[in-house]
Amino acid sequence: MMQKLTAAITAVNGWVPEDKLTNFDLEKMVDTNDEWIRTRTGIIERRILKTPGLGTSDMAAPAVLELCKKRGITPAEIDCLIVATVTPDMVFPATANVVCDKIGAVNAWGFDLSAACSGFLFALTTGASYIESGRYKKVVVVGADKMSAIVDYSDRNTCVIFGDGAGAVLLEPNDAGEGILDSILKSDGSGRNYLHMKAGGSVKPACIETVTNREHFAYQEGQTVFKFAVKGMADVSAELMERNQLKAEDIAWLVPHQANLRIIDATANRMGLDKEKVMINISKYGNTTAATIPLCLWEWESRLKKGDNVVLAAFGGGFTWGATWVKWAY
Ligand code: UT7
């Protein structure tokens, strides 16, 4: 029998701005301190895209260009490019279009996918389906967010958490049973009240009042989101393991969304995984929303081995959450 076609990750890359925003910098901006931020979140510093006039596409484009170089292909060979983001360059057109233009992906179509911190997993599963169906040979999935564009740097509840960055993977067909093997994705729109941007959409278009009331920034009820995140990420990861008869010892790596070290620890515990098997870089980048998972894969790329079982897991605004099983292909 012919092996089912799967979508393998064949290259990974990341891009982060050079400018760092440290806990000590934040101490000068709001009533907070390094000790609180470290112990409550695990974050020490984040990267910020400071240059005026630059947006999410300016992080995604270099990430994808280098991704192509690593794999030895030209951007013109990309069939489809998906950008997971909640901080698009503009409301429209899609950031994916802008990225394709900036890198010369002249034969690609693409679109943006909005699922906040779960965006990369949602986009990865979507992109994998195009490969599995046989429709496309090269799909690029990007997770990129310029959170500094929507963070209120006078709100200590949110400004200590977020950072900017972009990560990308290339998906190609595989007939050896490697790649994206299973995903469980979930959403619950009743969670929208706890993490959202109040204005700037069609419900509440921008006006003087929305600006004065600081409603164009990310709003989060941290404690509530925290509770749902701990349960959601752990439950869905356990469900994915059970459905695929994966035991803790079968899993080489957990790649969790980097929102809070305590949420990551809870998920790893529930899965029965030792800390050494968990990719954690939250201390350096904070929460880069859709970029956290590909940025981890990028950083750990040299330690990943062909055949490794890797579980990706995320929880975010929406609410959205999910877990994906990847068998590493190189
Ligand atoms: O990315 C996907 C979705 N997002 C998440 O998964 C984030 C989930 N939430 C969290 O990670 C946490 O809720 C936060 C890191 C946002 C907040 O941590 P927390 O442990 O839930 O803190 P809290 O909101 O319960 O606040 C505890 C205390 C409060 O003081 P009192 O009332 O106990 O006196 C806050 O006012 O800490 C205070 N506080 C701060 N203190 C210093 C809140 N923010 C700060 C701060 N610096 N930045």
Side-chain angles (χ1 to χ4, degrees):
M1 205 184 80
M2 223 177 77
Q3 176 82 38
K4 182 178 164 274
L5 204 61
T6 53
I9 295 175
T10 55
V12 180
N13 196 46
W15 193 92
V16 289
E18 273 178 22
D19 276 307
K20 292 176 182 172
L21 179 68
T22 67
N23 291 350
F24 297 104
D25 295 330
L26 284 160
E27 283 183 0
K28 295 176 203 134
M29 297 158 68
V30 289
D31 179 17
T32 190
N33 59 78
D34 174 58
E35 164 74 13
W36 190 96
I37 302 172
R38 273 177 200 247
T39 52
R40 293 284 181 139
T41 70
I43 302 167
I44 296 171
E45 59 188 33
R46 328 97 194 100
R47 300 300 182 95
I48 304 291
L49 186 65
K50 273 195 176 160
T51 313
L54 295 189
T56 295
S57 72
D58 297 293
M59 301 189 290
V64 179
L65 267 184
E66 183 64 25
L67 177 81
C68 292
K69 220 184 264 173
K70 277 171 96 170
R71 181 64 182 146
I73 65 165
T74 67
E77 291 176 63
I78 301 169
D79 299 309
C80 175
L81 184 143
I82 309 171
V83 178
T85 188
V86 288
T87 51
D89 283 21
M90 303 172 186
V91 172
F92 73 93
T95 305
N97 291 41
V98 181
V99 173
C100 286
D101 177 52
K102 285 184 175 170
I103 66 174
V106 290
N107 297 307
W109 70 289
F111 56 93
D112 290 0
L113 191 152
S114 174
C117 299
S118 310
F120 183 76
L121 289 195
F122 281 29
L124 188 68
T125 306
T126 305
S129 306
Y130 291 140
I131 299 279
E132 288 158 13
S133 72
R135 187 178 281 265
Y136 299 120
K137 299 268 184 288
K138 287 182 174 55
V139 176
V140 170
V141 177
V142 182
D145 272 298
K146 183 187 166 187
M147 293 306 291
S148 63
I150 60 164
V151 162
D152 183 349
Y153 286 98
S154 67
D155 173 14
R156 70 174 186 176
N157 292 303
T158 50
C159 74
V160 302
I161 305 168
F162 294 105
D164 302 342
V169 300
L170 177 65
L171 296 176
E172 294 183 85
N174 181 292
D175 58 9
E178 295 154 342
I180 317 306
L181 298 189
D182 195 21
S183 275
I184 301 177
L185 305 176
K186 308 199 182 216
S187 67
D188 176 359
S190 68
R192 66 187 178 280
N193 297 327
Y194 307 111
L195 181 48
H196 59 215
M197 194 193 289
K198 294 193 181 296
S202 57
V203 169
K204 210 176 200 190
C207 65
I208 300 286
E209 283 73 29
T210 62
V211 172
T212 308
N213 295 336
R214 309 186 78 79
E215 291 178 341
H216 294 278
F217 295 118
Y219 167 85
Q220 174 170 257
E221 292 180 25
Q223 264 187 24
T224 308
V225 177
F226 184 90
K227 275 180 213 147
F228 278 99
V230 165
K231 183 164 171 20
M233 219 159 103
D235 280 355
V236 76
S237 304
E239 190 183 338
L240 183 82
M241 287 172 72
E242 210 166 295
R243 179 154 105 177
N244 294 288
Q245 279 124 42
L246 286 170
K247 303 262 170 298
E249 58 267 28
D250 302 325
I251 296 169
W253 295 102
L254 167 67
V255 193
H257 169 55
Q258 316 277 308
N260 189 314
L261 195 53
R262 293 180 289 148
I263 301 173
I264 296 174
D265 287 345
T267 304
N269 277 342
R270 176 74 175 280
M271 294 169 74
L273 295 181
D274 296 336
K275 208 108 192 234
E276 306 81 71
K277 288 185 168 184
V278 187
M279 296 188 192
I280 301 171
N281 61 11
I282 190 171
S283 62
K284 291 196 290 189
Y285 303 133
N287 182 350
T288 54
T289 303
T292 59
I293 291 175
L295 282 176
C296 280
L297 291 174
W298 172 50
E299 187 169 341
W300 267 263
E301 188 185 16
S302 62
R303 295 173 65 186
L304 284 158
K305 293 194 297 288
K306 191 177 168 72
D308 274 356
N309 288 311
V310 182
V311 172
L312 321 178
F315 186 95
F319 294 135
T320 56
W321 67 108
T324 295
W325 171 28
V326 180
K327 197 174 274 290
W328 204 251
Y330 65 97

